[in-house]
Amino acid sequence: MNELARHHDHPSFPATLRRPAAERWALAQADGLLLDGIADGDSGSLARLFDRHGAAVMGLLTRMLGRNGEAEEVLQEVFLWVWRHPQRYDAGRSSLRGWLLVIARSRALDVLRADRSRRLREEGVERDRPTAHEPVPLAEIEERERRRRLLSAMTVLPGEQRRCIELAFFSGLSHSQIAARLQQPLGTIKSRIQLGMAKLRQALGPALDGVPA
């Protein structure tokens, strides 16, 4: 028995590797079908992809960025980026979840670096011009404009569709959790998210300037 096999059942062994090979293959196939659907413009595939992997991505972002709202914003950016670039995934290099976590980690590091750079600029301004009004950093202006465009795009949706998508992407809730919170049938929630995402796909182009390319 090789080293990998001896430790296969140890609690510290990664859960994805403890799964039988057939199960891992089935999960990979299901993820591949969802990416194919996204590439074909199926918003329902994006919603199902979020249901499968959103919690894991949000967990990583919360550990890196805390619970100050930045983690939720980056979570949204990650899945919107996947919506635009599903062809970037290479199944030969990692699992789909691993790929999503790499994207999320890279974007979170960008946010942390931008925050640090902004603080240094603000401290420099304070030292050099103690009596002057503190300027608004360029990064903050760009972020405000990006959020304005995203919020503007959301206004094309009916209220019930917008609420479901906000709960899914900003609060990280699954379809079943949204159904329980809104006291609506699960099928109704899924339908609202699918219809809303289809409309956002037409309206979000200008609002995606801040998403990493």
Side-chain angles (χ1 to χ4, degrees):
M1 180 181 296
N2 61 31
E3 188 68 18
L4 181 62
R6 283 201 303 272
H7 293 285
H8 183 273
D9 295 323
H10 192 278
S12 65
F13 199 80
T16 54
L17 295 181
R18 290 203 303 270
R19 291 170 176 161
E23 182 180 351
R24 295 199 303 272
W25 181 86
L27 291 173
Q29 290 297 305
D31 283 339
L33 290 175
L34 290 179
L35 275 183
D36 289 342
I38 291 171
D40 290 337
D42 176 24
S43 59
S45 294
L46 180 63
R48 289 191 292 275
L49 187 76
F50 183 88
D51 269 354
R52 287 169 68 92
H53 302 292
V57 176
M58 185 62 180
L60 171 66
L61 294 174
T62 299
R63 290 193 296 273
M64 295 183 68
L65 301 174
R67 297 183 178 275
N68 59 1
E70 287 183 321
E72 292 180 351
E73 292 180 10
V74 175
L75 177 71
Q76 179 193 31
E77 290 182 0
V78 168
F79 281 90
L80 287 174
W81 188 83
V82 172
W83 174 254
R84 297 191 71 193
H85 305 286
Q87 73 282 357
R88 297 284 186 90
Y89 173 59
D90 183 356
R93 299 184 62 181
S94 70
S95 67
L96 180 60
R97 177 169 294 187
W99 181 60
L100 292 171
L101 292 176
V102 168
I103 296 171
R105 182 178 183 278
S106 175
R107 183 66 184 114
L109 289 174
D110 288 343
V111 170
L112 292 173
R113 283 192 289 264
D115 287 346
R116 181 176 183 275
S117 178
R118 181 169 61 247
R119 286 196 300 271
L120 291 175
R121 288 198 303 270
E122 292 170 352
E123 291 170 1
V125 169
E126 183 65 22
R127 287 194 302 269
D128 297 339
R129 302 174 59 189
T131 60
H133 293 292
E134 184 174 321
V136 178
L138 178 60
E140 184 175 334
I141 295 174
E142 293 173 345
E143 176 64 14
R144 288 176 182 174
E145 176 62 17
R146 186 186 65 81
R147 292 191 64 177
R148 185 194 66 76
R149 289 195 295 269
L150 286 172
L151 291 173
S152 175
M154 292 287 285
T155 63
V156 306
L157 303 180
E160 65 274 7
Q161 293 175 10
R162 183 170 61 251
R163 179 61 175 155
C164 290
I165 291 176
E166 286 173 348
L167 288 173
F169 283 91
F170 293 104
S171 299
L173 300 184
S174 68
H175 287 178
S176 58
Q177 289 170 329
I178 296 172
R181 175 173 294 191
L182 299 182
Q183 297 183 339
Q184 294 289 331
L186 180 59
T188 298
I189 297 302
K190 290 183 177 180
S191 177
R192 288 176 179 176
I193 290 177
Q194 290 175 5
L195 291 172
M197 289 300 299
K199 294 175 183 177
L200 282 178
R201 183 168 181 263
Q202 298 177 356
L204 272 176
L208 293 176
D209 293 345
V211 178

Coordinates of all heavy atoms in Angstrom, one line a residue, residues 100-190:
L100 N -11.6 28.4 -8.9 CA -12.4 29.5 -8.3 C -11.6 30.1 -7.1 O -11.6 31.3 -6.9 CB -13.8 29.0 -7.9 CG -14.7 28.7 -9.0 CD1 -16.0 28.0 -8.5 CD2 -15.1 29.9 -9.9
L101 N -11.1 29.2 -6.3 CA -10.4 29.7 -5.1 C -9.1 30.4 -5.4 O -8.7 31.4 -4.8 CB -10.0 28.5 -4.2 CG -11.2 27.8 -3.5 CD1 -10.8 26.6 -2.7 CD2 -12.0 28.8 -2.6
V102 N -8.4 30.0 -6.5 CA -7.2 30.7 -7.0 C -7.6 32.1 -7.5 O -7.0 33.1 -7.1 CB -6.5 30.0 -8.1 CG1 -5.5 30.8 -8.8 CG2 -5.9 28.7 -7.5
I103 N -8.7 32.2 -8.2 CA -9.2 33.5 -8.7 C -9.5 34.4 -7.5 O -9.2 35.6 -7.4 CB -10.4 33.4 -9.6 CG1 -10.1 32.6 -10.9 CG2 -11.0 34.7 -10.0 CD1 -11.3 32.2 -11.7
A104 N -10.3 33.8 -6.5 CA -10.7 34.6 -5.4 C -9.5 35.1 -4.6 O -9.5 36.3 -4.1 CB -11.6 33.8 -4.5
R105 N -8.5 34.2 -4.4 CA -7.3 34.6 -3.6 C -6.6 35.7 -4.3 O -6.1 36.7 -3.6 CB -6.4 33.4 -3.4 CG -5.2 33.7 -2.5 CD -4.3 32.5 -2.3 NE -3.2 32.7 -1.4 CZ -2.1 33.3 -1.9 NH1 -1.9 33.6 -3.1 NH2 -1.1 33.5 -1.0
S106 N -6.4 35.6 -5.6 CA -5.7 36.6 -6.4 C -6.4 38.0 -6.2 O -5.8 39.0 -6.0 CB -5.6 36.2 -7.8 OG -5.0 37.2 -8.6
R107 N -7.8 38.0 -6.4 CA -8.5 39.2 -6.3 C -8.5 39.8 -4.9 O -8.3 41.0 -4.7 CB -10.0 39.0 -6.7 CG -10.8 40.3 -6.7 CD -10.3 41.2 -7.8 NE -11.1 42.5 -7.7 CZ -10.5 43.6 -7.4 NH1 -9.2 43.7 -7.2 NH2 -11.3 44.7 -7.4
A108 N -8.5 38.9 -3.9 CA -8.4 39.4 -2.5 C -7.1 40.1 -2.2 O -7.0 41.1 -1.5 CB -8.7 38.3 -1.5
L109 N -6.0 39.5 -2.7 CA -4.7 40.1 -2.6 C -4.6 41.4 -3.2 O -4.0 42.4 -2.7 CB -3.6 39.1 -3.1 CG -3.4 37.8 -2.3 CD1 -2.4 36.9 -3.1 CD2 -2.8 38.2 -0.9
D110 N -5.3 41.6 -4.4 CA -5.3 42.9 -5.1 C -6.0 43.9 -4.2 O -5.5 45.0 -4.1 CB -6.1 42.8 -6.4 CG -5.3 42.0 -7.5 OD1 -4.1 41.9 -7.3 OD2 -5.9 41.6 -8.5
V111 N -7.1 43.5 -3.5 CA -7.8 44.4 -2.6 C -6.9 44.8 -1.5 O -6.9 46.0 -1.1 CB -9.1 43.8 -2.2 CG1 -9.8 44.6 -1.0 CG2 -10.1 43.6 -3.3
L112 N -6.2 43.8 -0.9 CA -5.4 44.1 0.3 C -4.2 45.1 -0.1 O -3.9 46.0 0.6 CB -4.8 42.8 0.8 CG -5.9 41.9 1.5 CD1 -5.2 40.6 1.9 CD2 -6.5 42.6 2.7
R113 N -3.6 44.8 -1.3 CA -2.6 45.7 -1.8 C -3.1 47.1 -2.0 O -2.4 48.1 -1.7 CB -1.9 45.1 -3.0 CG -1.0 43.9 -2.7 CD -0.1 43.6 -3.9 NE -0.9 43.0 -5.0 CZ -1.0 41.7 -5.1 NH1 -0.4 40.8 -4.3 NH2 -1.8 41.1 -6.1
A114 N -4.3 47.2 -2.6 CA -4.9 48.5 -2.9 C -5.2 49.2 -1.6 O -4.9 50.5 -1.5 CB -6.1 48.3 -3.7
D115 N -5.7 48.5 -0.6 CA -6.0 49.2 0.7 C -4.7 49.7 1.3 O -4.6 50.8 1.9 CB -6.6 48.2 1.6 CG -8.1 47.9 1.2 OD1 -8.6 48.7 0.4 OD2 -8.7 46.9 1.7
R116 N -3.6 48.9 1.3 CA -2.4 49.3 1.9 C -1.8 50.5 1.1 O -1.3 51.5 1.7 CB -1.4 48.1 1.8 CG 0.0 48.5 2.5 CD 0.9 47.3 2.5 NE 2.2 47.6 3.2 CZ 3.2 48.1 2.5 NH1 3.1 48.4 1.3 NH2 4.3 48.4 3.2
S117 N -1.8 50.5 -0.2 CA -1.3 51.6 -1.0 C -2.1 52.9 -0.7 O -1.6 53.9 -0.6 CB -1.4 51.2 -2.5 OG -1.0 52.3 -3.3
R118 N -3.5 52.7 -0.6 CA -4.3 53.9 -0.3 C -3.9 54.5 1.1 O -3.9 55.7 1.2 CB -5.8 53.5 -0.4 CG -6.7 54.6 -0.1 CD -8.1 54.3 -0.4 NE -8.7 53.2 0.4 CZ -9.0 52.0 -0.1 NH1 -8.8 51.7 -1.4 NH2 -9.5 51.1 0.7
R119 N -3.7 53.6 2.1 CA -3.4 54.1 3.4 C -2.1 54.8 3.4 O -1.9 55.9 4.0 CB -3.3 52.9 4.4 CG -4.7 52.4 4.8 CD -4.6 51.5 6.0 NE -3.7 50.4 5.8 CZ -4.0 49.2 5.4 NH1 -5.3 49.0 5.0 NH2 -3.2 48.2 5.2
L120 N -1.1 54.3 2.6 CA 0.2 55.0 2.5 C 0.1 56.3 1.9 O 0.7 57.3 2.3 CB 1.2 54.1 1.8 CG 1.7 52.8 2.5 CD1 2.5 52.0 1.6 CD2 2.4 53.2 3.8
R121 N -0.7 56.4 0.8 CA -0.9 57.7 0.1 C -1.6 58.7 1.1 O -1.2 59.9 1.1 CB -1.8 57.5 -1.1 CG -1.0 56.8 -2.3 CD -1.7 57.1 -3.6 NE -3.1 56.6 -3.5 CZ -3.5 55.4 -3.9 NH1 -2.6 54.5 -4.2 NH2 -4.8 55.0 -3.8
E122 N -2.6 58.2 1.8 CA -3.3 59.1 2.7 C -2.4 59.6 3.8 O -2.5 60.8 4.2 CB -4.5 58.4 3.3 CG -5.6 58.1 2.2 CD -6.7 57.2 2.8 OE1 -6.5 56.6 3.9 OE2 -7.7 57.0 2.0
E123 N -1.5 58.7 4.4 CA -0.6 59.1 5.4 C 0.4 60.1 4.9 O 0.8 61.1 5.6 CB 0.1 57.9 5.9 CG -0.8 56.9 6.7 CD -0.1 55.6 7.1 OE1 1.1 55.5 6.7 OE2 -0.7 54.8 7.7
G124 N 0.8 59.9 3.6 CA 1.8 60.9 3.0 C 1.1 62.3 2.8 O 1.8 63.3 3.1
V125 N -0.1 62.3 2.4 CA -0.8 63.6 2.2 C -1.0 64.3 3.6 O -0.8 65.5 3.7 CB -2.2 63.3 1.6 CG1 -3.0 64.6 1.7 CG2 -2.0 62.9 0.1
E126 N -1.3 63.5 4.6 CA -1.5 64.0 6.0 C -0.2 64.7 6.5 O -0.2 65.7 7.1 CB -1.9 63.0 6.9 CG -2.2 63.4 8.3 CD -3.4 64.4 8.4 OE1 -4.2 64.4 7.4 OE2 -3.4 65.2 9.4
R127 N 1.0 64.0 6.2 CA 2.3 64.5 6.7 C 2.6 65.8 5.9 O 3.1 66.8 6.4 CB 3.4 63.5 6.5 CG 3.3 62.4 7.5 CD 4.6 61.6 7.5 NE 4.9 61.0 6.2 CZ 4.5 59.8 5.8 NH1 3.8 59.1 6.6 NH2 4.8 59.4 4.6
D128 N 2.4 65.8 4.6 CA 2.9 66.9 3.7 C 2.0 68.1 3.7 O 2.4 69.2 3.6 CB 3.1 66.4 2.3 CG 4.1 65.3 2.2 OD1 5.0 65.2 3.1 OD2 4.1 64.5 1.2
R129 N 0.7 67.8 3.9 CA -0.3 68.9 3.9 C -1.2 68.8 5.1 O -2.4 68.5 4.9 CB -1.1 68.9 2.6 CG -0.2 69.0 1.3 CD -1.0 68.8 0.1 NE -2.1 69.7 -0.1 CZ -3.0 69.7 -1.0 NH1 -3.1 68.7 -1.8 NH2 -3.9 70.6 -1.0
P130 N -0.7 69.1 6.3 CA -1.6 68.9 7.5 C -2.8 69.7 7.5 O -3.7 69.4 8.2 CB -0.6 69.2 8.6 CG 0.5 70.1 8.0 CD 0.6 69.6 6.6
T131 N -2.8 70.9 6.9 CA -3.9 71.8 7.0 C -4.9 71.7 5.8 O -5.9 72.3 5.8 CB -3.5 73.2 7.1 OG1 -2.7 73.6 6.0 CG2 -2.6 73.4 8.4
A132 N -4.5 70.9 4.8 CA -5.3 70.8 3.6 C -6.4 69.8 3.7 O -6.3 68.9 4.6 CB -4.4 70.5 2.4
H133 N -7.4 69.9 2.9 CA -8.5 68.9 2.9 C -7.9 67.6 2.3 O -7.2 67.7 1.3 CB -9.7 69.4 2.1 CG -10.4 70.5 2.7 ND1 -11.1 70.4 3.9 CD2 -10.5 71.8 2.3 CE1 -11.6 71.5 4.2 NE2 -11.3 72.4 3.3
E134 N -8.2 66.5 2.9 CA -7.6 65.2 2.4 C -8.3 64.8 1.1 O -9.5 64.8 1.0 CB -7.9 64.1 3.5 CG -7.3 62.8 3.1 CD -7.5 61.8 4.2 OE1 -7.3 62.2 5.4 OE2 -7.7 60.6 3.9
P135 N -7.5 64.6 0.0 CA -8.1 64.2 -1.2 C -8.7 62.8 -1.2 O -8.3 62.0 -0.5 CB -6.9 64.3 -2.2 CG -5.7 64.0 -1.4 CD -6.1 64.6 0.0
V136 N -9.7 62.6 -2.1 CA -10.3 61.3 -2.2 C -9.3 60.5 -3.1 O -9.0 60.9 -4.2 CB -11.7 61.3 -2.8 CG1 -12.2 59.9 -3.0 CG2 -12.6 62.2 -2.0
P137 N -8.8 59.3 -2.6 CA -7.9 58.5 -3.4 C -8.5 58.1 -4.7 O -9.7 57.8 -4.8 CB -7.6 57.3 -2.5 CG -7.9 57.8 -1.1 CD -9.0 58.7 -1.3
L138 N -7.7 58.0 -5.8 CA -8.2 57.6 -7.1 C -8.8 56.2 -7.1 O -9.9 56.0 -7.7 CB -7.0 57.6 -8.1 CG -7.4 57.1 -9.5 CD1 -8.4 58.0 -10.1 CD2 -6.1 57.1 -10.4
A139 N -8.2 55.3 -6.3 CA -8.8 53.9 -6.2 C -10.2 54.0 -5.7 O -11.1 53.2 -6.1 CB -7.9 53.0 -5.4
E140 N -10.4 54.9 -4.7 CA -11.8 55.0 -4.1 C -12.8 55.5 -5.1 O -13.9 55.1 -5.1 CB -11.7 55.8 -2.8 CG -13.0 55.9 -2.1 CD -12.9 56.7 -0.8 OE1 -11.8 56.7 -0.2 OE2 -13.9 57.2 -0.3
I141 N -12.3 56.5 -5.9 CA -13.2 57.1 -6.9 C -13.6 56.1 -7.9 O -14.8 55.9 -8.3 CB -12.5 58.3 -7.6 CG1 -12.3 59.4 -6.6 CG2 -13.4 58.8 -8.8 CD1 -11.5 60.6 -7.1
E142 N -12.6 55.3 -8.3 CA -12.9 54.2 -9.3 C -13.9 53.2 -8.7 O -14.8 52.7 -9.4 CB -11.6 53.6 -9.8 CG -10.7 54.5 -10.6 CD -9.4 53.9 -10.9 OE1 -9.0 52.9 -10.2 OE2 -8.7 54.4 -11.7
E143 N -13.7 52.8 -7.5 CA -14.5 51.8 -6.8 C -16.0 52.3 -6.7 O -16.9 51.6 -7.0 CB -14.0 51.5 -5.5 CG -14.8 50.5 -4.7 CD -14.9 49.1 -5.3 OE1 -14.1 48.8 -6.2 OE2 -15.8 48.4 -4.9
R144 N -16.1 53.6 -6.4 CA -17.5 54.2 -6.3 C -18.2 54.1 -7.6 O -19.4 53.8 -7.7 CB -17.4 55.6 -5.8 CG -17.0 55.8 -4.3 CD -16.9 57.2 -4.0 NE -16.5 57.4 -2.6 CZ -16.2 58.6 -2.1 NH1 -16.3 59.7 -2.8 NH2 -15.8 58.7 -0.8
E145 N -17.4 54.5 -8.7 CA -18.0 54.5 -10.0 C -18.4 53.0 -10.4 O -19.5 52.8 -11.1 CB -17.0 55.1 -11.0 CG -17.5 55.1 -12.5 CD -18.8 55.9 -12.7 OE1 -19.2 56.7 -11.8 OE2 -19.4 55.7 -13.7
R146 N -17.5 52.1 -10.1 CA -17.8 50.7 -10.5 C -19.1 50.2 -9.8 O -20.0 49.6 -10.4 CB -16.7 49.8 -10.1 CG -16.8 48.3 -10.6 CD -15.7 47.5 -10.0 NE -15.8 47.4 -8.6 CZ -16.6 46.5 -7.9 NH1 -17.4 45.7 -8.6 NH2 -16.6 46.5 -6.6
R147 N -19.2 50.5 -8.5 CA -20.4 50.1 -7.8 C -21.7 50.8 -8.3 O -22.8 50.3 -8.3 CB -20.2 50.4 -6.3 CG -19.2 49.6 -5.6 CD -19.2 49.7 -4.1 NE -20.4 49.2 -3.6 CZ -20.7 49.1 -2.3 NH1 -19.8 49.5 -1.4 NH2 -21.8 48.6 -1.9
R148 N -21.5 52.1 -8.7 CA -22.7 52.8 -9.2 C -23.2 52.2 -10.5 O -24.4 52.0 -10.7 CB -22.3 54.3 -9.5 CG -23.4 55.1 -10.0 CD -23.0 56.4 -10.6 NE -22.2 56.2 -11.8 CZ -22.8 55.9 -13.0 NH1 -24.1 55.8 -13.1 NH2 -22.1 55.7 -14.1
R149 N -22.2 51.7 -11.3 CA -22.7 51.0 -12.6 C -23.3 49.7 -12.3 O -24.3 49.3 -12.9 CB -21.4 50.8 -13.5 CG -20.9 52.1 -14.1 CD -20.0 51.8 -15.3 NE -18.8 51.1 -14.8 CZ -17.7 51.7 -14.5 NH1 -17.6 53.1 -14.5 NH2 -16.6 51.1 -14.1
L150 N -22.8 49.0 -11.3 CA -23.4 47.7 -10.9 C -24.9 47.9 -10.4 O -25.8 47.2 -10.7 CB -22.6 47.0 -9.9 CG -21.3 46.3 -10.4 CD1 -20.5 45.8 -9.3 CD2 -21.6 45.2 -11.4
L151 N -25.0 48.9 -9.5 CA -26.3 49.2 -8.9 C -27.3 49.7 -10.0 O -28.5 49.3 -10.0 CB -26.2 50.2 -7.8 CG -25.5 49.7 -6.5 CD1 -25.2 50.9 -5.6 CD2 -26.2 48.6 -5.9
S152 N -26.8 50.4 -10.9 CA -27.6 50.9 -12.0 C -28.1 49.7 -12.9 O -29.3 49.7 -13.3 CB -26.8 51.9 -12.9 OG -27.6 52.3 -14.0
A153 N -27.2 48.7 -13.1 CA -27.6 47.6 -13.9 C -28.7 46.8 -13.1 O -29.6 46.2 -13.7 CB -26.4 46.7 -14.1
M154 N -28.6 46.7 -11.8 CA -29.6 46.0 -11.0 C -31.0 46.6 -11.1 O -32.0 45.9 -10.9 CB -29.1 45.9 -9.5 CG -27.9 45.1 -9.3 SD -28.2 43.3 -9.4 CE -29.1 43.0 -7.9
T155 N -31.1 47.9 -11.4 CA -32.4 48.5 -11.4 C -33.3 48.0 -12.6 O -34.5 48.3 -12.6 CB -32.2 50.0 -11.5 OG1 -31.6 50.4 -12.8 CG2 -31.4 50.6 -10.4
V156 N -32.7 47.3 -13.5 CA -33.5 46.8 -14.6 C -34.4 45.6 -14.2 O -35.3 45.2 -14.9 CB -32.6 46.4 -15.9 CG1 -31.7 47.5 -16.3 CG2 -31.8 45.1 -15.5
L157 N -34.1 45.1 -13.0 CA -34.8 43.9 -12.6 C -36.0 44.2 -11.8 O -36.0 45.2 -11.0 CB -33.9 43.0 -11.7 CG -32.5 42.6 -12.3 CD1 -31.8 41.8 -11.3 CD2 -32.8 41.8 -13.6
P158 N -37.1 43.4 -11.9 CA -38.2 43.5 -10.9 C -37.7 43.3 -9.5 O -36.7 42.6 -9.3 CB -39.2 42.4 -11.4 CG -38.8 42.1 -12.8 CD -37.3 42.4 -12.9
G159 N -38.4 43.8 -8.6 CA -38.0 43.8 -7.2 C -37.7 42.4 -6.7 O -36.7 42.1 -6.0
E160 N -38.6 41.4 -7.0 CA -38.5 40.1 -6.5 C -37.3 39.4 -7.1 O -36.6 38.6 -6.4 CB -39.7 39.2 -6.7 CG -40.1 38.9 -8.2 CD -40.9 40.0 -8.9 OE1 -41.1 41.1 -8.2 OE2 -41.3 39.8 -10.0
Q161 N -36.9 39.6 -8.3 CA -35.7 39.1 -9.0 C -34.5 39.7 -8.4 O -33.5 39.0 -8.0 CB -35.7 39.3 -10.5 CG -36.8 38.5 -11.2 CD -36.9 38.8 -12.7 OE1 -36.0 39.5 -13.2 NE2 -38.0 38.4 -13.3
R162 N -34.5 41.0 -8.2 CA -33.3 41.7 -7.6 C -33.0 41.2 -6.2 O -31.9 40.9 -5.8 CB -33.6 43.2 -7.6 CG -32.4 44.0 -7.1 CD -32.5 45.5 -7.3 NE -33.7 46.0 -6.6 CZ -34.8 46.4 -7.3 NH1 -34.9 46.4 -8.6 NH2 -35.8 46.9 -6.6
R163 N -34.1 41.0 -5.4 CA -33.9 40.5 -4.0 C -33.3 39.1 -4.0 O -32.4 38.9 -3.2 CB -35.3 40.5 -3.3 CG -35.2 40.0 -1.9 CD -34.3 40.9 -1.0 NE -34.4 40.5 0.4 CZ -33.4 40.7 1.2 NH1 -32.3 41.4 0.9 NH2 -33.5 40.4 2.5
C164 N -33.7 38.2 -4.8 CA -33.2 36.9 -4.9 C -31.7 36.9 -5.3 O -30.9 36.2 -4.7 CB -34.0 36.0 -5.8 SG -35.7 35.6 -5.3
I165 N -31.3 37.7 -6.3 CA -30.0 37.7 -6.7 C -29.1 38.4 -5.6 O -27.9 38.0 -5.4 CB -29.9 38.5 -8.0 CG1 -30.5 37.6 -9.1 CG2 -28.4 38.8 -8.4 CD1 -30.5 38.3 -10.5
E166 N -29.6 39.4 -5.0 CA -28.8 40.0 -3.9 C -28.5 39.0 -2.8 O -27.4 39.0 -2.2 CB -29.6 41.2 -3.3 CG -29.6 42.4 -4.2 CD -30.5 43.6 -3.7 OE1 -31.3 43.3 -2.8 OE2 -30.4 44.7 -4.2
L167 N -29.5 38.2 -2.4 CA -29.3 37.2 -1.3 C -28.4 36.2 -1.8 O -27.6 35.7 -1.0 CB -30.7 36.6 -1.0 CG -31.7 37.5 -0.2 CD1 -33.0 36.8 0.0 CD2 -31.1 37.9 1.2
A168 N -28.4 35.8 -3.1 CA -27.5 34.8 -3.6 C -26.0 35.3 -3.6 O -25.1 34.6 -3.2 CB -27.9 34.3 -4.9
F169 N -25.8 36.5 -4.2 CA -24.5 36.9 -4.5 C -23.9 37.8 -3.4 O -22.7 37.7 -3.1 CB -24.4 37.7 -5.8 CG -24.5 36.8 -7.0 CD1 -25.7 36.5 -7.6 CD2 -23.3 36.3 -7.6 CE1 -25.8 35.7 -8.7 CE2 -23.4 35.5 -8.7 CZ -24.6 35.2 -9.2
F170 N -24.7 38.5 -2.7 CA -24.1 39.4 -1.6 C -24.2 38.7 -0.3 O -23.3 39.0 0.6 CB -24.9 40.7 -1.6 CG -24.7 41.6 -2.8 CD1 -25.6 41.7 -3.8 CD2 -23.5 42.3 -3.0 CE1 -25.4 42.5 -4.9 CE2 -23.3 43.0 -4.1 CZ -24.2 43.1 -5.1
S171 N -25.2 37.9 0.0 CA -25.3 37.2 1.3 C -24.8 35.8 1.3 O -24.7 35.2 2.3 CB -26.8 37.3 1.8 OG -27.2 38.6 1.9
G172 N -24.6 35.3 0.1 CA -24.0 33.9 0.0 C -25.0 32.8 0.3 O -24.6 31.7 0.7
L173 N -26.3 33.1 0.2 CA -27.3 32.1 0.5 C -27.6 31.1 -0.7 O -27.5 31.5 -1.8 CB -28.7 32.7 0.9 CG -28.6 33.7 2.1 CD1 -30.0 34.2 2.4 CD2 -28.0 33.0 3.3
S174 N -27.9 29.9 -0.4 CA -28.3 28.9 -1.4 C -29.7 29.2 -1.8 O -30.4 29.9 -1.1 CB -28.1 27.5 -0.8 OG -29.1 27.2 0.2
H175 N -30.1 28.5 -2.9 CA -31.5 28.7 -3.3 C -32.5 28.2 -2.3 O -33.5 28.9 -2.0 CB -31.7 27.8 -4.6 CG -31.0 28.4 -5.8 ND1 -31.1 27.8 -7.0 CD2 -30.3 29.5 -6.0 CE1 -30.4 28.5 -7.9 NE2 -29.9 29.6 -7.3
S176 N -32.2 27.1 -1.6 CA -33.1 26.7 -0.6 C -33.2 27.6 0.6 O -34.2 27.8 1.2 CB -32.7 25.3 -0.1 OG -31.4 25.3 0.4
Q177 N -32.0 28.2 1.0 CA -32.0 29.2 2.1 C -32.8 30.5 1.7 O -33.5 31.0 2.5 CB -30.6 29.5 2.4 CG -29.8 28.4 3.1 CD -28.4 28.7 3.3 OE1 -27.8 29.4 2.4 NE2 -27.8 28.2 4.3
I178 N -32.7 30.9 0.4 CA -33.4 32.0 0.0 C -34.9 31.7 0.0 O -35.7 32.6 0.5 CB -33.0 32.4 -1.4 CG1 -31.5 32.9 -1.4 CG2 -33.9 33.6 -2.0 CD1 -31.0 33.1 -2.8
A179 N -35.3 30.5 -0.4 CA -36.7 30.1 -0.4 C -37.3 30.2 1.0 O -38.4 30.6 1.3 CB -36.9 28.8 -1.0
A180 N -36.5 29.7 2.0 CA -36.9 29.7 3.4 C -37.1 31.1 3.9 O -38.0 31.4 4.6 CB -36.0 28.9 4.2
R181 N -36.1 32.0 3.6 CA -36.1 33.3 4.1 C -37.3 34.1 3.5 O -38.0 34.9 4.2 CB -34.8 34.1 3.8 CG -34.8 35.5 4.2 CD -33.5 36.2 4.0 NE -32.5 35.7 5.0 CZ -31.3 36.3 5.2 NH1 -31.0 37.4 4.6 NH2 -30.5 35.8 6.0
L182 N -37.5 34.0 2.2 CA -38.6 34.7 1.6 C -40.0 34.0 1.6 O -41.0 34.5 1.2 CB -38.2 35.0 0.1 CG -37.0 35.8 -0.1 CD1 -36.8 36.0 -1.6 CD2 -37.0 37.1 0.6
Q183 N -39.9 32.8 2.2 CA -41.2 32.0 2.3 C -41.8 31.8 0.9 O -43.0 32.0 0.7 CB -42.1 32.6 3.3 CG -41.6 32.6 4.7 CD -42.6 33.2 5.7 OE1 -43.5 33.9 5.4 NE2 -42.4 32.9 7.0
Q184 N -41.0 31.4 -0.1 CA -41.5 31.1 -1.4 C -41.0 29.7 -1.8 O -40.0 29.2 -1.3 CB -40.9 32.2 -2.4 CG -41.3 33.6 -2.2 CD -42.8 33.8 -2.6 OE1 -43.3 33.1 -3.5 NE2 -43.4 34.7 -1.9
P185 N -41.8 29.1 -2.8 CA -41.4 27.8 -3.3 C -39.9 27.8 -3.9 O -39.6 28.8 -4.5 CB -42.4 27.4 -4.3 CG -43.6 28.3 -4.0 CD -43.0 29.6 -3.4
L186 N -39.2 26.7 -3.7 CA -37.9 26.7 -4.3 C -37.9 26.9 -5.8 O -37.0 27.6 -6.3 CB -37.2 25.3 -3.9 CG -35.8 25.1 -4.4 CD1 -34.8 26.1 -3.9 CD2 -35.3 23.7 -4.1
G187 N -38.8 26.3 -6.5 CA -38.9 26.5 -8.0 C -39.1 28.0 -8.3 O -38.5 28.5 -9.3
T188 N -39.8 28.7 -7.5 CA -40.1 30.1 -7.8 C -38.8 30.9 -7.7 O -38.4 31.8 -8.5 CB -41.1 30.7 -6.8 OG1 -42.3 30.0 -7.0 CG2 -41.3 32.2 -7.0
I189 N -38.0 30.6 -6.6 CA -36.7 31.3 -6.4 C -35.7 31.0 -7.5 O -35.1 31.9 -8.0 CB -36.1 30.8 -5.0 CG1 -37.0 31.2 -3.9 CG2 -34.7 31.4 -4.9 CD1 -37.3 32.6 -3.7
K190 N -35.6 29.8 -7.9 CA -34.7 29.4 -9.0 C -35.2 30.2 -10.3 O -34.3 30.7 -11.1 CB -34.7 27.9 -9.3 CG -34.0 27.1 -8.2 CD -34.0 25.7 -8.5 CE -33.3 24.9 -7.4 NZ -33.2 23.4 -7.7

